[in-house]
Amino acid sequence: MTKIKLCGLSRPCDIETANRLSPEYIGFVFAPKSIRYVNSEKAAELKKLLHPSIKAVGVFVRENPETVAELLRSGTIDIAQLHGGESEEYIKQLRALTDKPIIKAYRIDTVQDVEAANKSSADYVLLDSGQGGTGTTFDWNLLEKIDRPYFLAGGLNADNVRSAIERLNPYAVDVSSGIETDGHKDSNKMEDFVHAVTLSY
């Protein structure tokens, strides 16, 4: 069954909705330039509200590895997602500091991008369009060459996620802007998205 990640949660009401819907993952965005940014203190408060069965993913853009590792050690997050083109050397540095899982995001524009994702030493790869949170899909035909489990992101919403799962069978689907209204998470859209995914089973 395809797993679900609801990304960019930033308010207690977002966590409350997630707890009710029980996705496998939620995401906190630690990139200061993002409209979904939360700092470590806010994320820690939100994590305390999160049901223990749901894993919290921290999304980072070229963050200091020690900072990422400390958030993993403290339990504020359970998994690190690298969204800034971090190198294999960066992943190696992070692995020296923590044994927690790592997701590496790739912007998919060409077959070469898929090949790079296949070779990544990260535990999982996330395949996206643009820089994330853009609300646009990429050419899914490029994914014919992917040969490892992946998180599918980029432009997903309740209207298209079911067809994406039926066509691609990704390990997980990742949504952010597709469950928002006016820049904030919308509990109805969150519910519609999760319901659409479960209809694919």
Side-chain angles (χ1 to χ4, degrees):
M1 294 190 301
T2 298
K3 301 180 187 304
I4 299 170
K5 176 165 167 266
L6 304 177
C7 200
L9 308 193
S10 60
R11 303 173 299 172
C13 59
D14 300 339
I15 301 296
E16 185 178 320
T17 301
N19 286 340
R20 180 167 54 83
L21 297 174
S22 297
E24 285 77 14
Y25 308 95
I26 61 94
F28 297 134
V29 177
F30 292 97
K33 292 183 179 179
S34 171
I35 61 170
R36 305 171 183 93
Y37 170 70
V38 293
N39 60 31
S40 57
E41 293 79 14
K42 180 71 171 178
E45 292 172 11
L46 294 172
K47 178 64 184 301
K48 289 176 183 175
L49 303 175
L50 186 67
H51 192 279
S53 67
I54 304 172
K55 300 293 185 186
V57 179
V59 180
F60 301 94
V61 176
R62 294 182 290 280
E63 183 58 79
N64 185 304
E66 285 78 9
T67 300
V68 178
E70 179 52 38
L71 285 164
L72 287 162
R73 276 195 294 267
S74 68
T76 300
I77 58 173
D78 305 297
I79 302 168
Q81 179 178 318
L82 309 178
H83 227 294
E86 290 83 357
S87 65
E88 283 293 314
E89 180 60 31
Y90 181 101
I91 294 175
K92 185 177 179 181
Q93 291 174 12
L94 186 55
R95 288 216 189 275
L97 299 169
T98 178
D99 61 356
K100 296 294 178 67
I102 297 171
I103 303 168
K104 173 76 166 64
Y106 286 85
R107 174 178 174 172
I108 303 300
D109 291 319
T110 67
V111 172
Q112 286 72 32
D113 298 326
V114 175
E115 290 173 354
N118 278 332
K119 294 175 183 175
S120 174
S121 66
D123 298 284
Y124 297 100
V125 293
L126 181 145
L127 310 181
D128 201 353
S129 58
Q131 294 303 307
T134 59
T136 56
T137 59
F138 60 91
D139 182 2
W140 292 342
N141 291 320
L142 293 168
L143 300 186
E144 292 175 0
K145 300 294 185 182
I146 192 75
D147 59 12
R148 62 184 295 175
Y150 63 92
F151 286 70
L152 179 68
L156 295 177
N157 55 52
D159 295 327
N160 65 9
V161 70
R162 188 175 177 186
S163 61
I165 291 171
E166 290 172 350
R167 176 177 170 185
L168 302 170
N169 191 31
Y171 168 78
V173 287
D174 183 308
V175 64
S176 187
S177 60
I179 50 172
E180 291 178 350
T181 299
D182 298 329
H184 294 288
K185 292 296 179 281
D186 181 320
S187 61
N188 291 325
K189 288 184 178 180
M190 292 168 76
E191 185 166 352
D192 289 346
F193 184 87
V194 171
H195 182 62
V197 173
T198 57
L199 285 176
S200 304
Y201 297 162

